[in-house]
Amino acid sequence: MENKIKKAADLLRKSRFTTAHTGAGISVESGIPPFRGNQGIWNKYDPRSLEIAYFINHPAESWHIIKEIFYCYFNEARPNTAHLVLAEMEKQGLLGRIITQNIDNLHQMAGSVEVYEFHGNSGKLVCLGCNRTYPVSNISLDFIPPTCRECGGLLKPDFIFFGEPIPQKAVAAAYDAASISDVFLIIGTTGEVMPANQIPFLAKSNGCKIIEVNTEPSNFTSSVTDIFLQGKAGDVMDRLSTELFASPLDNDQDSVD
């Protein structure tokens, strides 16, 4: 593992442009459960509650579940070491962009600036009537479904429901990252969710090196990953940051095994 950490740090120091591609696994150590897997949210809740058609037709029923999942679980979450390391990498000029599948706002709370959210953000609500947006902190969820102060329309969390398109800005940023990055740093995503799971494959086809941080092998590990760093995101990123920020640049172009 130590040798892999050193090689990963070397790749990151030499990279002209690095993109981090993050999923639910990076936020587990912040207290947010993953959606999939044995302990996933969808084992407890019916994912139909987040289908856009169901939400529009049954807003109160959907909002009861949405409030419990996203505004009880998420409100207490704070950035962990992995989020903080990525923010420091950006500050040090070692990370150009974050493409995240998460909606928890933890990257921004950690200090990251160049964050593109594939699935939106739970911190805002949008009116389905007039498109006005509100910080969720400005809207009481004591009475649900919440409604717009301007037009009385239904308010919806500003993240992507099943049946909605991915924001074009995030898609464009992801495809651009896949074309210009020397290194993709995958953290905490198993590669099961389309179309986000296609971006590392596109990056790889463009000659990008892939560093993967996951607790278990993923759909990327045996197909595109060059260096697999197995472990919890916070632990691995802490070790990687120690090597990355402490070691001088090595100009020897060693190959990755």
Side-chain angles (χ1 to χ4, degrees):
M1 182 67 167
E2 200 59 39
N3 190 42
K4 289 184 177 181
I5 291 284
K6 290 180 181 294
K7 288 184 176 181
D10 191 44
L11 279 180
L12 290 166
R13 288 194 301 268
K14 293 173 180 175
S15 175
R16 293 165 298 179
F17 194 93
T18 295
T19 296
H21 181 88
T22 67
I26 196 174
S27 296
V28 169
E29 292 163 76
S30 293
I32 297 178
F35 285 86
R36 291 167 175 79
N38 293 334
Q39 304 299 318
I41 286 174
W42 296 142
N43 280 345
K44 182 177 179 181
Y45 300 96
D46 185 350
R48 183 180 64 166
S49 61
L50 286 183
E51 291 177 358
I52 188 61
Y54 184 87
F55 176 81
I56 291 171
N57 292 320
H58 307 278
E61 291 90 336
S62 282
W63 256 109
H64 277 291
I65 296 174
I66 289 166
K67 180 181 176 181
E68 185 171 342
I69 296 175
F70 300 104
Y71 302 108
C72 291
Y73 285 142
F74 282 31
N75 274 0
E76 301 301 318
R78 293 295 179 267
N80 62 56
T81 300
H83 298 104
L84 296 172
V85 170
L86 291 180
E88 183 62 22
M89 287 176 63
E90 181 182 28
K91 183 179 178 180
Q92 297 282 347
L94 295 169
L95 182 67
R97 186 172 303 176
I98 296 174
I99 306 296
T100 186
Q101 296 167 229
N102 299 338
I103 62 173
D104 52 35
N105 204 45
L106 292 179
H107 285 301
Q108 292 91 331
M109 290 173 64
S112 294
V113 177
E114 290 295 321
V115 182
Y116 296 86
E117 296 165 311
F118 235 68
H119 298 144
N121 191 299
S122 62
K124 295 186 293 182
L125 305 180
V126 60
C127 176
L128 296 186
C130 66
N131 289 322
R132 182 182 176 89
T133 61
Y134 299 88
V136 70
S137 58
N138 289 359
I139 300 294
S140 172
L141 298 182
D142 291 337
F143 302 95
I144 53 178
T147 54
C148 178
R149 295 170 182 167
E150 294 295 317
C151 74
L154 175 65
L155 292 181
K156 167 191 169 294
D158 196 23
F159 55 73
I160 303 305
F161 280 45
F162 297 119
E164 289 190 296
I166 304 299
Q168 188 55 44
K169 181 179 179 181
V171 173
Y175 277 91
D176 179 61
S179 69
I180 66 174
S181 296
D182 295 316
V183 175
F184 248 57
L185 178 57
I186 297 173
I187 307 174
T189 175
T190 58
E192 296 178 16
V193 179
M194 292 187 67
N197 62 355
Q198 299 303 302
I199 304 303
F201 288 93
L202 180 60
K204 184 69 173 182
S205 71
N206 289 329
C208 187
K209 293 294 186 182
I210 310 293
I211 301 168
E212 179 186 353
V213 179
N214 265 318
T215 55
E216 299 292 338
S218 72
N219 289 345
F220 303 120
T221 310
S222 62
S223 52
V224 296
T225 297
D226 294 289
I227 301 176
F228 179 48
L229 304 176
Q230 187 166 8
K232 293 181 178 179
D235 294 341
V236 173
M237 292 303 294
D238 184 45
R239 294 175 64 182
L240 183 59
S241 69
T242 299
E243 181 68 30
L244 188 60
F245 300 137
S247 299
L249 178 64
D250 179 6
N251 291 319
D252 184 21
Q253 300 291 325
D254 292 333
S255 62
V256 175
D257 17 78

